[in-house]
Amino acid sequence: MTAIYFTEALPVWAAGREREMNCELAFRTLLPQGRARLRLAAATLFRVWVNGTLFAAGPARCAHGFYNVDDLDLTGSLSRHTNVVVIEVVGFNVNSYDTLDQPSFLTAEIVSGDRILAATGGMGFEASVLGQRVQRVQRYSFQRGFPECYRLHAELRSFYTDPTRSVPPVELAVQEKKEYLRRSVRHPQYERLEAERLLSEGTVLFRANPEMPIRDRSYLNIGPDFKGFAPHELAIHLSDDAQRMVFRSRALPLGSSLPFALADSRFLLLKFPYNATGFLQIEVECSEPVTLHVFFDELLTEGDIRLQRLNAWNCFRYELDAGRHTITTFAAYTMQVVKLASQGACRILAVRMIEYKHPPVRRCIQLPEHETALRQIARAAMETYLANAVDVFTDCPSRERAGWLCDSFFTARVEQVLTGRNVLERAFLENFLLPQAFAHLPEGMLPMCYPADHNDGNFIPNWAMWFVLELEEYAQRTGDKELIRRAKGRVYALIRYFRAFENEYGLLEKLKGWVFLEWSRANDPDVVQDVNFPTNMLYARMLEAAGLLYGDEALRGQAEKIRTVIRKRSYNGAFFTDNECRTESGLQNPGNMTEVCQYYAFFTGTATREQYPELWWRLVEAFGPQRAETGAFPEVAPANVFIGYYLRIELLYRAGMKEEVLRNIRSYFLPMAESTGTLWEHNSPTASCCHGFASHVLYWLAGIFGITDADGAR
C-alpha cells in the first residue's frame, strides 16, 4: 500500500533510538512560495509548523501495525519567498489507552504537482534533536503517556522562522516497512480561544517536600506491564514538586487583563470561557531565567485547582531562559482554569487554547428561543461532542483520550444527527477489525477501548457486547454491508467466547475480566457476580442483534430463551434483582436491587411496558431527578450518569414522553452546563467533566425539535 501514498519517502528515525521512551525529533525543510502538499505518517504524535505557526497536529489513530496518512495542503501558508516547515515528532514507546506502544518514525513527503520537494529517507528534510524536552519524566496518567516538561531556549524560536538558522543534524536510519491507510476523518480547524478572565493572584511558598506526597499507580507501578520511567530514573519529579507549593491568593478586580507581571514566587489564576480542549499556548517574556509551573483543571474546587481531582497530573513545568517564549503543549489537554506559578520574574503576555476538536458541523437543532436552559445544555453537549470526536470517539479528552466501546454507541448517534454521515464511526469500528488478534486478551474477546494497549490483560466483557449493538445501529444508519460482512468473524468469535461461561440455565456465570455496568452500587463486587442479570440482559440483546445482522434465527431464539429465564429468576414481583450467587445448594438470590438494573431490563427488551406496567410507571413517576429529594424506594440503589441516566431518558424518549424527557434533561444536566459548559461522566465533578457519550442529549433534542442543515433545509 505504501506506493499509493508516498513516491519516495521512507520511514526514518534517529539511528538506534526508535524504541527510546519520550524521544522528540524535529524535521525541517525550506519551501518556496507556491503550491505544495504534505503527506505524512508518524508514531507517536506529530505537530506541523509553517513559519512559526502551528499548522496541524496528529495523527489520526489507527490499529496496531497500521498508520493513517495525513494529506495537508500547505499552499495558503507558504506566503514568504522562503518558507520554513518543521515537523516535530515525539515517540512515547509506552503502553497506554491514548496512544500505541510502537516504534517511533516519521514518513513525510512534500509534493508540488508531480515534483517531489522533500522526502524523508531522501532529500529535503534535515532532522535535529533540539534537546528542549525533558525526557525522563513520570507519566501523565495511568491511561496516557508523558506530560509536558521542557527547558526552552528563546534563541531557538528562530529555528521555526528563519531560513538561515542551522542546528546540528542527527543521524537517521530507515525503519522497518509500515502499513499505511488513508486518513478518512476530517481535520480540526485549530480555532483560537483566548483566556476570558483573570481570577486571582498571590504568593507561592515553596516548602520542603511533603511528608506523605500523593504518588499514584502511574508513578509507582512502573514495570514490564506498565512502561515508563521508574521514580529513581526521573530527572524531575513533577508531582512531588507540585505538592511542595502553598498558595495564598487574593481576587483580582473584574476587568483585569493580560499582560500581567509575575514577580518571583507569585502566581496568576485565569479562566477560559468554557471547559476547552486543545493545545495550551502561553506567551511569556522573561527578564531573567524563570521556571514556570502550569496547573490546570476543568473547574475550580473550593476556589482553586485541586491536584489529582481527575487522577491525572495536570502540573507541567517549563524552564525558560531570558527572552521571549511561546509555550505550546505538544499534546492536547482539557481545561477551564489555569494557574501559572513563577520562580523568577516574568510577564504573561497571552494565554490561549488552540482548540483540537471536530470541525464545525453542518446541522443545528431547532430549539425554541424561550428554552434558555435547553439551549445552554445543548451548547454544552455540542462542546462535549466536538472535543470527543477528533479521530476516534473518546470517553474524555483529558485523563484518557481513549476510544471506549459503549461510550461510542451513544456518541455515534450524535455524529449522524450533526453531520448526516458516520465517517468517524466507520473509522472507529474499523480499528477493531484491522488486527489479526489482540495481544494480551483471550481469544474472541474485544478490547474495552481501542486503539490501546492492554498489557495487564484487563477487559470489559459487557463493552464487547455493546460493540455488536453498535454494529446493528451502524448498519441501519449507513447500509454499509461491506463493513458488516468484515465484522462477522469478530462477532461470532465473541459469541464462541461467551458460550464457555453459560451455565445450566443458559445464563453467563462467573465472567472473567472487569464486569462493568455503570458507576453505582450496581458495579460493586458482590452485585456483579456470580450471575449478573443486567449483564445477561445485555447478552440476550447482543445475541438478538447478531441474529438480525447475519440472519441467524438460532441466535435470536437463544436470546428469547435467556430473557424468559431472567424474567423468572430475577423479577421479585416489584423489581428486577441484580444477581444470583453460586452456593453449595445451587444459585441463591441475595436480593440486591439497583435502579440501573430496571433500565437495562427495559432497554434490552427483557421487560416491556405491556409485560410490567406497574414497574414501568413506578420508574417514570417515583424515580428520576426528584428521587434524591423524595427518597422513594431506598432499597433500590440509585443510578449514576454513566449510563443509568442515559438509559432512563432513552426509555422515556422511545415511549414518546417528550415533556418527561425534557424535564429530566433540564434537571440532570443544567448544573453541569452552568459550571463547565460541558457535560460530565458522573453526577458530581469527581471525574471527567467532558465525556463524549454525554453529548447524546443532542440526539434526543434533535428528535423532539428537529434539525436544520446549514442551508436551512429541514
Side-chain angles (χ1 to χ4, degrees):
M1 291 187 186
T2 305
I4 297 174
Y5 303 102
F6 301 105
T7 303
E8 292 186 5
L10 298 172
V12 298
W13 196 252
R17 301 183 67 181
E18 66 274 8
R19 287 284 184 181
E20 203 171 285
M21 291 186 292
N22 205 22
C23 179
E24 182 180 323
L25 299 185
F27 297 79
R28 195 174 89 140
T29 190
L30 305 180
L31 296 179
Q33 189 172 18
R35 302 183 63 83
R37 299 195 72 88
L38 166 63
R39 300 187 184 102
L40 76 159
T44 305
L45 301 176
F46 73 75
R47 301 190 299 190
V48 179
W49 300 84
V50 180
N51 297 325
T53 299
L54 181 65
F55 183 84
R61 289 167 288 179
C62 200
H64 284 88
F66 296 87
Y67 302 92
N68 278 317
V69 177
D70 281 77
D71 189 339
L72 305 168
D73 187 356
L74 300 176
T75 305
S77 296
L78 302 180
S79 57
R80 302 178 182 176
H81 179 71
T82 303
N83 299 274
V84 180
V85 176
V86 176
I87 305 171
E88 297 172 317
V89 184
V90 60
F92 282 160
N93 278 295
V94 295
N95 52 307
S96 76
Y97 291 175
D98 172 36
T99 55
L100 296 180
D101 182 9
Q102 299 186 127
S104 307
F105 79 95
L106 170 68
T107 309
E109 192 167 271
I110 300 177
V111 299
S112 179
D114 295 331
R115 291 188 303 124
I116 298 173
L117 305 181
T120 53
M123 57 80 186
F125 281 107
E126 188 169 84
S128 301
V129 177
L130 299 184
Q132 298 189 114
R133 187 182 189 97
V134 179
Q135 192 170 2
R136 292 181 173 271
V137 295
Q138 67 196 81
R139 291 184 60 139
Y140 171 70
S141 68
F142 174 80
Q143 298 86 355
R144 291 182 64 174
F146 296 105
E148 311 280 329
C149 186
Y150 281 86
R151 297 182 175 120
L152 297 179
H153 305 286
E155 57 92 17
L156 271 179
R157 292 181 67 199
S158 62
F159 176 80
Y160 298 84
T161 58
D162 183 357
T164 66
R165 181 71 161 86
S166 63
V167 173
V170 65
E171 180 187 355
L172 296 176
V174 175
Q175 303 300 304
E176 62 183 15
K177 183 180 178 181
K178 308 298 179 182
E179 192 74 25
Y180 302 116
L181 297 174
R182 179 180 64 86
R183 177 184 177 129
S184 59
V185 299
R186 296 169 64 194
H187 290 89
Q189 292 186 346
Y190 307 101
E191 298 169 345
R192 293 190 170 203
L193 182 71
E194 300 292 333
E196 177 186 53
R197 284 181 55 202
L198 307 189
L199 300 176
S200 62
E201 63 92 27
T203 60
V204 188
L205 172 65
F206 296 89
R207 62 183 177 181
N209 288 332
E211 292 182 6
M212 297 182 64
I214 300 170
R215 291 177 172 175
D216 68 1
R217 58 181 176 171
S218 71
Y219 183 97
L220 296 172
N221 293 1
I222 301 300
D225 291 337
F226 185 63
K227 296 174 65 176
F229 295 106
H232 70 275
E233 299 175 306
L234 299 177
I236 293 174
H237 297 258
L238 279 175
S239 58
D240 283 4
D241 287 349
Q243 293 173 78
R244 292 175 52 223
M245 301 182 204
V246 178
F247 301 95
R248 294 178 180 173
S249 66
R250 69 174 184 89
L252 286 168
L254 286 175
S256 299
S257 62
L258 299 175
F260 191 92
L262 276 182
D264 182 29
S265 299
R266 305 286 294 186
F267 78 89
L268 173 66
L269 182 67
L270 33 69
K271 180 178 181 290
F272 287 109
Y274 52 84
N275 188 26
T277 295
F279 308 101
L280 178 65
Q281 189 169 79
I282 306 166
E283 293 184 20
V284 56
E285 191 171 58
C286 303
S287 58
E288 60 184 347
V290 166
T291 298
L292 190 67
H293 304 269
V294 179
F295 302 85
F296 58 93
D297 201 359
E298 298 179 278
L299 77 174
L300 292 175
T301 302
E302 298 178 350
D304 203 352
I305 291 174
R306 182 163 70 86
L307 197 64
Q308 270 281 293
R309 180 198 64 84
L310 193 59
N311 294 315
W313 293 110
N314 291 337
C315 50
F316 298 163
R317 173 178 170 136
Y318 298 89
E319 297 176 18
L320 313 172
D321 61 7
R324 184 162 177 162
H325 299 267
T326 299
I327 297 166
T328 307
T329 60
F330 203 109
Y333 303 94
T334 303
M335 64 194 74
Q336 186 181 14
V337 287
V338 181
K339 181 191 286 183
L340 307 176
S342 181
Q343 289 177 273
C346 65
R347 292 179 74 237
I348 306 300
L349 305 176
V351 178
R352 66 179 62 93
M353 177 71 73
I354 302 175
E355 294 191 279
Y356 191 56
K357 62 186 186 183
H358 191 287
V361 297
R362 68 182 188 92
R363 290 178 166 183
C364 59
I365 299 168
Q366 295 302 287
L367 289 169
E369 288 292 335
H370 70 273
E371 289 283 8
T372 55
L374 290 180
R375 294 173 74 86
Q376 188 170 2
I377 293 167
R379 285 194 297 271
M382 178 68 78
E383 287 300 332
T384 301
Y385 172 77
L386 297 176
N388 285 286
V390 179
D391 57 338
V392 298
F393 294 134
T394 51
D395 61 333
C396 61
S398 52
R399 177 188 65 231
E400 300 187 10
R401 298 191 67 83
W404 286 85
L405 292 169
C406 182
D407 299 66
S408 63
F409 174 89
F410 296 94
T411 316
R413 288 178 168 183
V414 183
E415 181 189 19
Q416 204 282 329
V417 164
L418 295 178
T419 70
R421 305 172 65 193
N422 286 80
V423 173
L424 194 57
E425 183 181 25
R426 192 184 199 282
F428 177 87
L429 293 172
E430 187 174 43
N431 281 336
F432 286 85
L433 306 182
L434 286 170
Q436 292 295 314
F438 297 104
H440 311 292
L441 298 183
E443 184 177 354
M445 180 48 60
L446 297 172
M448 54 193 179
C449 57
Y450 198 72
D453 299 300
H454 299 282
N455 296 28
D456 59 2
N458 196 18
F459 60 92
I460 300 178
N462 311 59
W463 271 205
M465 299 178 196
W466 282 99
F467 174 80
V468 184
L469 269 62
E470 184 176 346
L471 274 181
E472 179 189 29
E473 288 205 359
Y474 174 80
Q476 295 166 357
R477 281 190 286 267
T478 67
D480 186 351
K481 296 180 180 179
E482 188 268 339
L483 187 133
I484 300 304
R485 177 190 57 78
R486 289 171 56 197
K488 185 174 182 179
R490 286 276 191 255
V491 171
Y492 276 84
L494 180 64
I495 293 170
R496 288 192 296 272
Y497 172 84
F498 281 124
R499 280 183 177 153
F501 296 91
E502 292 174 1
N503 65 14
E504 65 270 34
Y505 303 104
L507 301 177
L508 298 177
E509 182 174 347
K510 294 185 182 295
L511 281 174
K512 302 293 185 182
W514 179 19
V515 179
F516 186 84
L517 298 165
E518 75 150 10
W519 295 116
S520 72
R521 164 79 173 135
N523 225 67
D524 288 353
D526 64 314
V527 178
V528 294
Q529 295 286 15
D530 294 324
V531 175
N532 181 260
F533 288 123
T535 298
N536 276 282
M537 295 169 186
L538 188 62
Y539 182 49
R541 181 68 190 88
M542 182 204 81
L543 293 172
E544 180 185 46
L548 291 168
L549 280 169
Y550 300 110
D552 192 329
E553 292 301 319
L555 292 180
R556 297 177 67 182
Q558 182 186 359
E560 193 50 47
K561 288 179 182 178
I562 292 172
R563 288 175 176 141
T564 300
V565 173
I566 294 173
R567 293 174 191 131
K568 180 180 178 180
R569 303 188 68 88
S570 173
Y571 191 64
N572 65 8
F575 294 99
F576 283 90
T577 57
D578 276 65
N579 68 314
E580 288 184 326
C581 299
R582 179 66 66 175
T583 68
E584 293 182 358
S585 58
L587 290 174
Q588 300 293 323
N589 194 318
N592 293 312
M593 292 181 293
T594 67
E595 182 179 351
V596 77
C597 178
Q598 319 312 309
Y599 300 147
Y600 267 98
F602 285 96
F603 178 81
T604 61
T606 301
T608 67
R609 296 168 62 190
E610 294 73 24
Q611 291 170 311
Y612 299 91
E614 291 185 5
L615 175 57
W616 169 259
W617 287 109
R618 190 180 301 125
L619 293 173
V620 171
E621 295 171 354
F623 287 73
Q626 73 279 6
R627 187 168 171 239
E629 296 180 6
T630 66
F633 300 99
E635 69 274 20
V636 180
N640 204 334
V641 175
F642 186 60
I643 58 175
Y645 291 4
Y646 279 74
L647 294 185
R648 172 184 175 80
I649 301 174
E650 172 68 7
L651 294 171
L652 297 171
Y653 179 79
R654 290 181 183 181
M657 304 177 70
K658 295 181 180 180
E659 289 305 317
E660 190 65 19
V661 168
L662 298 179
R663 185 181 71 84
N664 277 252
I665 288 174
R666 293 187 194 98
S667 297
Y668 283 137
F669 304 121
L670 183 57
M672 302 179 188
E674 291 175 334
S675 177
T676 62
T678 48
L679 302 182
W680 306 350
E681 179 182 9
H682 290 188
N683 53 16
S684 62
T686 54
S688 159
C689 293
C690 181
H691 230 66
F693 82 92
S695 64
H696 192 266
V697 167
L698 295 171
Y699 171 84
W700 297 315
L701 294 177
I704 292 173
F705 294 104
I707 54 177
T708 297
D709 286 342
D711 61 2
R714 200 171 179 82

